[in-house]
């Protein structure tokens, strides 16, 4: 019964990931990660002996402990990746804010030049007579 329930949950999560991908609420690079995780989980729920054999090869006595270790490593990896992505996004936002501030300052200068009649509107300096 737990095999069936685990498989249903994994299939539901995979459906949700595909639906988010279809609606463009999830980027492809993240969808691939969750699809691989879902497929691996589906494989382990279909063949629980794989986890037992892997834990025996590594020397872990309780297969559930191997599953917890793998999950912990996966979650730390996802957190590190998302932290890196957020740091890059913050840098890009800061650079864009600086560029917008410079453009606003240039626009204010141009407006001031136009108001005094020396601007690039007529392309020349006013002449004194």
């Amino acid at each position: 019964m737990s095999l069936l329930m685990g498989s249903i949950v994994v299939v539901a999560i995979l459906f949700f990931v595909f639906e988010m991908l279809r609606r463009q609420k999830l980027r492809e690079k993240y969808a691939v990660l969750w699809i691989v995780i879902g497929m691996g989980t589906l494989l382990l729920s279909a063949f629980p002996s794989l986890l037992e054999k892997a834990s025996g090869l590594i020397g872990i006595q309780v297969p559930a402990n191997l599953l917890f270790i793998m999950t912990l490593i996966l979650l730390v990896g996802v957190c590190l990746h998302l932290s890196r992505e957020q740091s890059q996004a913050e840098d890009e936002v800061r650079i864009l804010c600086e560029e917008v501030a410079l453009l606003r300052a240039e626009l204010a200068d141009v407006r001031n030049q136009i108001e005094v009649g020396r601007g690039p509107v007529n392309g020349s300096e006013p002449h004194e007579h």
Side-chain angles (χ1 to χ4, degrees):
M1 185 67 173
S2 65
L3 174 65
L4 177 65
M5 199 59 170
S7 298
I8 290 172
V9 169
V10 171
V11 169
I13 290 171
L14 285 173
F15 174 78
F16 185 65
V17 167
F18 281 115
E19 188 62 23
M20 287 177 59
L21 187 60
R22 187 183 69 80
R23 293 183 181 185
Q24 297 179 344
K25 301 289 183 187
L26 182 66
R27 292 178 57 192
E28 291 84 5
K29 67 180 182 178
Y30 300 120
V32 169
L33 172 70
W34 292 115
I35 290 169
V36 168
I37 291 169
M39 295 302 218
T41 306
L42 194 58
L43 186 69
L44 286 176
S45 68
F47 304 104
S49 62
L50 288 176
L51 189 62
E52 293 171 7
K53 289 178 184 175
S55 63
L57 287 173
I58 296 174
I60 297 175
Q61 292 180 352
V62 181
N65 288 345
L66 176 60
L67 187 61
F68 288 133
I69 290 169
M70 290 176 9
T71 303
L72 181 63
I73 291 170
L74 176 74
L75 289 175
V76 167
V78 168
C79 286
L80 285 173
H81 175 72
L82 292 176
S83 295
R84 190 195 70 171
E85 291 278 331
Q86 183 177 359
S87 296
Q88 286 177 344
E90 286 175 0
D91 289 342
E92 290 173 8
V93 167
R94 181 186 47 77
I95 290 168
L96 287 173
C97 287
E98 291 170 356
E99 289 177 358
V100 166
L102 291 171
L103 288 172
R104 285 183 179 167
E106 284 182 33
L107 180 61
D109 287 345
V110 168
R111 285 183 178 162
N112 287 338
Q113 289 176 358
I114 290 172
E115 286 177 5
V116 292
R118 300 184 335 219
V121 173
N122 57 12
S124 62
E125 294 288 323
H127 298 281
E128 289 185 33
H129 296 289

